[in-house]
Amino acid sequence: MNQTNYSEQAKALAQLVESKKPDADRITRLDHLDRILAHPILGIVIFAAIMFVIFTISQVFVGPTISDLMVLGMDYVAQAIEQLLIALNTSDFLSALVLEGMIGGLAAVMGFLPLIMVLFFLLQLLEDSGYMARVALMMDRYFKKIGLAGRSIIPMYVGTACSIPAVMAARTIKNDRQRMLTVMLTPFVPCGAKLPVIALFVSVFFAQHVYLTALIYILAIGVIFISGLLIKYLLDAKIADDGSQFMIIELPQYKLPSLKLAFHVMLEQAWDFTRKAATLIVLMNTIVWMMSHFDFGLNVVDNPAQSMLYSVSLPFAWLMIPLGFGVWGLAAAAIAGFVAKEEIIGALAIIFVFSIHDDFSISSIDATRTALTSVAGLTSVSAFSYMAFNLFTPPCFAAIGAMHAELKSRKWTSFAVIFQLIVGYVMAMWIYQIGTLLVYRTVGEGFVVSIVLTVALVIGVIAFKQRYTLKVSHG
Amino acid sequence: MGNLLVFSIVLIILYKIVHYLYQQVLTRGTLCTSCTSCVLSTSSTNQPDWLRQYRENNIVEKGAL
């Protein structure tokens, strides 16, 4: 009897409910758009073009215009503080500490805030439109070749803002191998902290070639691929592959991006940057300034070559001779960059820019160019090498800590850090040596050393592979 | 007098900064001040045991931290 009731109820419902199946065979205009935007080759070209446009707008047109206004404002405030210090009969030493160490270094970094704000505004528009999901799909086929998941693009996209949440975002990747590789490779993506470094060097040395800013990100993708292949070659026997390299991702509908959301994200990024600059960067700038004006006996020195900073950074400067920037000040700035990459700007300003100013003023592009070329002795090639070194060596200590938290192994963290150091060092070395040969038709400093190091690297990679394979095969 | 005043202000500013960074290290387990909504702030898994114990013994937690 119950079955009869159910049958009657089912018939009654069938008359009331209209089921409509989606027409899966129908190709919409958006499908046509996806076929173009996610095309294996055309998609890459379109992605590169879009990123070029974004970087050109943020780094060439809108960003620098707002930045100039901001620098004018900061210059006004700094000069007001200078007048106040004079009125208080403050000593020259203390005035220099405040104006150069604390305010000047901070202002040098804050000058790049507008560029970052505009960039993240545009990137948020791009993401909100639904396009970035297509980029993830497109990159999947390429990432598989180096043992990564297509999902790895998501941490790498997050890495354009900061490497720490990017490394932590790798936690969503279930495959152990893919997750480890993603954690090791994501820091190669230029984060928001590295952007001021890129912007500074491109504006000073490559003002006529502003496309280099976008090229840096393309170069980073290339570094990721080559590094991924190298790690796969070195450790393939160790990291087991359970074959789960598929990616399932929802492609959202294309839509007009929300200006309100993009504005909110931009302000959030600006606040994060400002908070970091006003705390960590000010502290680091003060430390750098103090170390460049005191010797180990805590005596004030007029000649920076007698300072603590000189003594500490000189050995590192020797190591950087084959890279084209064997200058203590550049080495000091690079070391300071391991606390925060923005600190490179502040340290360069303190060590080089303010040293050539008789009257204090916020550094301008011309003053920075003079400082980095005449005082630091950088050429275009060595400047690009310095930029590559700072971009592709390990990011800040906090990011290294995040890598350790995700890798959960000191051995793998050490491997990742050493690997990144070697990649950054070798890349900078090759850029300088090959660039000097091609551009200046001469050999660079430390050419013989660079040849020896390259040969040693190749031998080391082969030896590591053989030893590691032997170790694994013997259990 | 001017030197003393400026020096005092500089010291206060530096102390405030160091104190803020110290609080960030205690909260996030690492020296990072980047993100407003930080996953590290809400996750204790990234902190070493000694830091977690110190926080439990000494820091008055706000909310879910």
Side-chain angles (χ1 to χ4, degrees), chain B residues 50-64:
Chain B
W50 68 266
L51 184 59
R52 191 177 305 116
Q53 193 64 44
Y54 182 85
R55 287 183 63 193
E56 289 171 0
N57 293 339
N58 296 283
I59 303 296
V60 177
E61 302 284 356
K62 287 184 180 180

Side-chain angles (χ1 to χ4, degrees), chain A residues 88 90-91 164 272 275 398 405, chain B residues 2-3 20 31-34 36 46:
Chain A
L88 290 172
T90 313
S91 66
I164 297 166
D272 291 341
R275 193 178 59 240
Chain B
N3 284 332
Y20 170 79
L31 186 62
C32 176
T33 62
S34 292
T36 305
N46 292 296

Side-chain angles (χ1 to χ4, degrees), chain A residues 85 88-91 94 97-98 102 162 164-165 168 171 268 271-272 275-276 278-280 282-283 286 398 405-406, chain B residues 1-7 10 13-14 17-18 20-21 28 30-37 39-40 43 45-46:
Chain A
L85 291 171
L88 290 172
N89 290 322
T90 313
S91 66
L94 204 50
L97 169 63
V98 173
M102 299 178 78
C162 179
I164 297 166
M168 298 183 73
R171 205 177 285 182
E268 193 173 310
W271 174 238
D272 291 341
R275 193 178 59 240
K276 187 178 185 180
T279 53
L280 187 59
V282 167
L283 180 64
T286 306
E406 294 307 313
Chain B
M1 189 64 192
N3 284 332
L4 185 63
L5 177 64
V6 172
F7 187 66
V10 168
I13 291 173
L14 291 177
I17 291 173
V18 171
Y20 170 79
L21 293 174
R28 303 179 186 214
T30 186
L31 186 62
C32 176
T33 62
S34 292
C35 311
T36 305
S37 53
V39 179
L40 290 173
S43 167
T45 60
N46 292 296

Side-chain angles (χ1 to χ4, degrees), chain A residues 60-333:
Chain A
V60 177
F61 297 118
V62 180
T65 304
I66 304 173
S67 180
D68 289 342
L69 293 172
M70 191 169 170
V71 168
L72 277 177
M74 288 190 295
D75 204 3
Y76 179 78
V77 171
Q79 288 180 4
I81 293 175
E82 185 183 12
Q83 294 303 317
L84 180 61
L85 291 171
I86 293 172
L88 290 172
N89 290 322
T90 313
S91 66
D92 292 341
F93 180 83
L94 204 50
S95 293
L97 169 63
V98 173
L99 294 172
E100 293 177 5
M102 299 178 78
I103 296 176
L106 171 64
V109 175
M110 288 297 291
F112 295 97
L113 176 61
L115 281 73
I116 290 174
M117 288 174 68
V118 175
L119 174 66
F120 283 108
F121 179 82
L122 296 173
L123 286 177
Q124 179 58 35
L125 289 178
L126 195 65
E127 182 180 349
D128 202 28
S129 69
Y131 174 65
M132 293 310 291
R134 274 77 181 171
V135 173
L137 184 66
M138 186 173 55
M139 298 302 289
D140 180 49
R141 57 173 63 87
Y142 297 105
F143 276 4
K144 276 179 185 169
K145 296 186 187 309
I146 61 173
L148 284 175
R151 188 180 289 275
S152 298
I153 190 70
I154 297 169
M156 290 182 187
Y157 177 69
V158 176
T160 57
C162 179
S163 292
I164 297 166
V167 164
M168 298 183 73
R171 205 177 285 182
T172 60
I173 300 171
K174 291 182 180 170
N175 183 282
D176 288 340
R177 170 185 179 171
Q178 293 169 359
R179 187 172 62 252
M180 286 174 65
L181 273 177
T182 304
V183 168
M184 291 183 196
L185 299 179
T186 294
F188 286 128
V189 177
C191 63
K194 297 175 184 175
L195 190 61
V197 180
I198 299 173
L200 173 69
F201 280 86
V202 168
S203 61
V204 170
F205 290 94
F206 309 103
Q208 304 302 322
H209 308 284
V210 290
Y211 58 83
L212 279 175
T213 307
L215 185 65
I216 291 290
Y217 284 81
I218 306 295
L219 181 65
I221 295 174
V223 169
I224 288 169
F225 271 98
I226 294 172
S227 300
L229 287 171
L230 187 58
I231 291 177
K232 189 180 176 183
Y233 169 73
L234 288 174
L235 301 177
D236 201 32
K238 174 64 174 178
I239 305 175
D241 181 5
D242 63 5
S244 59
Q245 293 190 19
F246 58 87
M247 180 182 77
I248 298 175
I249 187 171
E250 178 188 357
L251 294 182
Q253 290 287 333
Y254 286 111
K255 67 180 184 77
L256 281 177
S258 166
L259 290 176
K260 184 180 176 184
L261 177 62
F263 192 70
H264 175 78
V265 169
M266 179 186 74
L267 288 181
E268 193 173 310
Q269 290 288 341
W271 174 238
D272 291 341
F273 184 87
T274 303
R275 193 178 59 240
K276 187 178 185 180
T279 53
L280 187 59
I281 302 300
V282 167
L283 180 64
M284 282 301 300
N285 283 338
T286 306
I287 292 172
V288 168
W289 190 91
M290 298 286 279
M291 286 182 72
S292 65
H293 285 75
F294 284 93
D295 60 15
F296 282 107
L298 297 181
N299 302 307
V300 178
V301 293
D302 292 326
N303 184 2
Q306 297 171 336
S307 66
M308 278 192 276
L309 193 63
Y310 175 85
S311 303
V312 168
S313 56
L314 190 62
F316 294 97
W318 292 333
L319 290 175
M320 293 173 184
I321 291 175
L323 279 60
F325 46 89
V327 178
W328 72 272
L330 295 171

